[in-house]
Amino acid sequence: MFEWEINAQEGSARAGTFYTPHGALQTPIFAPVGTQATVKALTPAQVEELGAQLVLANTYHLFLRPGDELIAELGGLHSFMQWHKPILTDSGGFQVFSLTDTRKVDDDGVTFKSHIDGSTQRLTPEISIRIQENLGADIIMAFDECAIPTDYAYSKLAMQRTHAWAHRCQAAKTRSDQALFGIVQGGIFSDLRAESAQTLAALDFPGYAIGGLSVGESKADMLRTISEVNQILPENKPRYLMGVGTPQDLIEGVLRGVDIFDCVLPTRLARHNSAMTLTGRMNLMNAAYARDERPINPDCQCYTCQHFSRAYLRHLVNAKEMLAATLLSIHNLYTLVNLTQRMRQAILAGEMQRFAQETLAAIAASQTVEEEV
RNA sequence: GGACGGUUACCCAAGUGGACAACGGGGACUGACUGUAAAUCAGUUGGCAGAGGCCUUCGGAGGUUCGAAUCCUUCACCGUCCA
């Protein structure tokens, strides 16, 4: 179980297969985020139809509501949410970072105020693992501390804590049918990232995540950090870049050896009326689309683009109809999932460099146009 | 025919002598969003100029006043009631 094979490699880019109890992941992949055991606005059938192989859910949210023990009692997350392909649960570490005002971190763990009812809650590596074992995902994440990536002193402290917690997560883990991934931290600092990657590599996880990026640092720092970390992480394990991202980020990530991505962007943008394309975003609220009969992207094969005009989508968005969120979520997720599928094909065919160059050039060209306007 | 009440920007609606280009909603327009406290948040919404600024507005016309969306006269239209 949790065997990882590299099917093809071109430069640092890899096409691989990761075997889990709920099926094999053909990487590179983009995983839709379903924080509360649902990819917002979509049925599992729709998520599957657009080509997603893996869905992410969240420890913190499901622990607070409806409770991990309840989900275990009901047969686990797969059965509960009726998603029968692989699931990854995040450890709650990111909430430590994002719930800035209501948390207290110490070496043992984190005390939170619940965003739902204000009650005081506690997460530690052991509690996070217990929750994730109750949820029953195929891939579970070590409990980590994410920090503001440009603060050296704090990044170092958070990194050290993350390492100690990674040990404790391994020790607390009891199920053998779940793969526990370690998370590299260290902000944008080369020495910290190197230390973090080496320390975690020595712990021999079945997979590794790069955390703490795309949270405010520059794009150059993010890309440099990904390269540095992946040079150290073992090649014979999958690598997961957490919380990324945009089409450009996915291409740049794959070029630097990333296998798995997740991001809320496609589904959030969809609910906020924006359609993603490889070359930019389209705000469907804009009056310019009122009479536009074209699909969002004439080259897109998704359900939304195969059936609906920009004019109709603009109407749905404008009228605040729920279907707008569904159709835009399908399109946005398809765009990223399809991009990772095309990158896999390109790597298998030995054409990834060319594909990346062409696509990145098109993205750069569209951004230049926007700046001139 | 008479008595009251009303007419404010795209719509609803506050304002009853100076702090009013005019509260607040809605609508419209625009922007942001990267391991989801997010179907959210922010900005603009009389015209002109790169800000201070200038010009034109509160049903129409006229008047009082240093000054009017606010007071007076009159006309128009809408509503309720009495003949």
Side-chain angles (χ1 to χ4, degrees):
Chain A
M1 207 177 290
F2 303 118
E3 195 182 325
W4 164 251
E5 22 175 271
I6 293 180
N7 309 118
Q9 185 149 3
E10 183 183 339
S12 297
R14 306 115 63 87
T17 304
F18 188 64
Y19 295 91
T20 83
H22 289 84
L25 302 173
Q26 306 274 305
T27 72
I29 58 168
F30 178 81
V33 177
T35 301
Q36 306 210 64
T38 165
V39 177
K40 295 185 193 296
L42 299 181
T43 66
Q46 289 168 321
V47 177
E48 185 167 352
E49 193 197 331
L50 62 84
Q53 303 181 60
L54 172 72
V55 158
L56 183 147
N58 193 281
T59 294
Y60 168 79
H61 296 264
L62 296 175
F63 162 62
L64 292 182
R65 181 173 57 193
D68 52 294
E69 286 172 12
L70 177 75
I71 291 176
E73 199 181 311
L74 295 173
L77 201 47
H78 289 89
S79 165
F80 187 56
M81 69 184 284
Q82 286 293 299
W83 173 258
H84 302 293
K85 292 192 167 190
I87 297 176
L88 180 155
T89 46
D90 190 17
S91 62
F94 186 72
Q95 280 62 43
V96 178
F97 174 71
S98 64
L99 303 181
T100 329
D101 300 331
T102 53
R103 67 168 186 216
K104 262 187 296 188
V105 189
D106 57 68
D107 288 339
D108 180 57
V110 187
T111 301
F112 293 94
K113 290 260 189 243
S114 159
H115 70 279
I116 299 169
D117 63 3
S119 60
T120 301
Q121 302 288 345
R122 180 87 180 154
L123 277 182
T124 64
E126 291 76 18
I127 296 171
S128 177
I129 293 298
R130 184 210 78 206
I131 295 169
Q132 295 189 77
E133 292 196 337
N134 276 332
L135 296 176
D138 301 271
I139 300 173
I140 65 177
M141 301 304 298
F143 189 60
D144 65 328
E145 184 181 8
C146 196
I148 297 197
T150 51
D151 179 336
Y152 186 88
Y154 199 87
S155 289
K156 184 169 185 177
L157 178 68
M159 177 197 78
Q160 289 166 340
R161 260 203 290 249
T162 295
H163 295 167
W165 292 356
H167 271 289
R168 285 167 57 188
C169 284
Q170 283 186 321
K173 184 174 183 299
T174 63
R175 285 177 65 159
S176 60
D177 59 346
Q178 296 182 298
L180 172 65
F181 281 25
I183 304 178
V184 176
Q185 287 290 349
I188 58 167
F189 306 102
S190 303
D191 60 326
L192 297 184
R193 285 289 178 175
E195 181 185 341
S196 189
Q198 283 157 5
T199 303
L200 292 172
L203 294 180
D204 194 30
F205 286 97
Y208 293 90
I210 306 172
L213 289 178
S214 214
V215 286
E217 79 285 357
S218 74
K219 187 124 307 194
D221 282 333
M222 179 178 88
L223 296 180
R224 192 202 75 239
T225 302
I226 295 167
S227 298
E228 290 170 357
V229 169
N230 279 343
Q231 273 164 22
I232 296 168
L233 288 178
E235 287 209 350
N236 62 348
K237 298 290 171 61
R239 301 159 180 165
Y240 163 32
L241 177 57
M242 307 184 80
V244 172
T246 64
Q248 183 182 5
D249 291 342
L250 298 195
I251 296 167
E252 299 282 15
V254 167
L255 286 175
R256 288 165 178 74
V258 175
D259 306 301
I260 302 170
F261 303 85
D262 81 284
C263 192
V264 304
L265 206 52
T267 43
R268 180 181 293 167
L269 287 178
R271 292 192 308 285
H272 296 176
N273 314 320
S274 282
M276 300 174 88
T277 68
L278 292 192
T279 52
R281 296 178 195 173
M282 183 179 288
N283 185 348
L284 265 304
M285 189 115 87
N286 290 2
Y289 304 119
R291 294 165 194 284
D292 195 331
E293 296 185 82
R294 292 172 291 175
I296 296 166
N297 174 3
D299 299 324
C300 180
Q301 301 301 306
C302 82
Y303 171 77
T304 301
C305 286
Q306 291 300 305
H307 293 87
F308 304 102
S309 66
R310 295 175 187 180
Y312 179 65
L313 294 168
R314 162 169 154 88
H315 161 67
L316 293 181
V317 157
N318 211 238
K320 300 177 172 53
E321 281 292 338
M322 293 187 289
L323 186 58
T326 298
L327 294 178
L328 288 174
S329 292
I330 287 172
H331 169 79
N332 287 351
L333 285 175
Y334 179 90
T335 298
L336 297 187
V337 167
N338 179 251
L339 174 61
T340 56
Q341 288 170 349
R342 286 162 65 193
M343 288 195 283
R344 177 177 171 85
Q345 294 311 313
I347 295 165
L348 292 173
E351 293 174 350
M352 179 61 193
Q353 289 300 325
R354 188 176 59 78
F355 175 82
Q357 266 172 17
E358 286 175 8
T359 310
L360 290 174
I363 293 171
S366 69
Q367 286 171 347
T368 308
V369 171
E370 279 167 23
E371 280 161 21
E372 284 168 2
V373 172

